[in-house]
Amino acid sequence: MNCRLLLQKAKRATISDILETSLSLDEDQITLTRQFRCNAETTMRSAPSQCDEDDIVSSYVRIVVTDTYDPVWTDFGVGAPIALNVERTVQVS
């Protein structure tokens, strides 16, 4: 594995650790995925090599956070836990 890939993996781990700590979540509740966009296309790509050589390549991180919210009224037998799923895409370059 080259140095650039190791650095990218370390950065993703750091972002994941920050999210886990600040949101009080477990590792399996957060998913980070790198995505790329060629020029102004609306379609995301999984690798920058999928763009043409003269394209402007933008880099993104897709963050998916899952959790379960237990409303206080479930303690009284009313309702059920609510599954939460939040997806965000953040441009990094």
Side-chain angles (χ1 to χ4, degrees), residues 10-22 25-32:
K11 287 180 180 179
R12 279 197 310 265
T14 301
I15 293 169
S16 185
D17 290 344
I18 291 169
L19 289 170
E20 289 170 27
T21 301
S22 64
L25 296 173
D26 295 329
E27 182 178 330
D28 63 340
Q29 293 177 286
I30 298 172
T31 304
L32 298 177

Side-chain angles (χ1 to χ4, degrees), residues 4-55:
R4 186 174 183 178
L5 290 176
L6 286 172
L7 180 60
Q8 290 172 356
K9 190 172 184 175
K11 287 180 180 179
R12 279 197 310 265
T14 301
I15 293 169
S16 185
D17 290 344
I18 291 169
L19 289 170
E20 289 170 27
T21 301
S22 64
L23 299 174
S24 300
L25 296 173
D26 295 329
E27 182 178 330
D28 63 340
Q29 293 177 286
I30 298 172
T31 304
L32 298 177
T33 308
R34 296 260 337 244
Q35 295 182 326
F36 303 89
R37 187 175 73 175
C38 310
N39 292 322
E41 293 180 3
T42 57
T43 306
M44 294 290 193
R45 315 282 176 111
S46 60
S49 59
Q50 296 173 338
C51 298
D52 292 333
E53 188 174 308
D54 59 340
D55 285 350

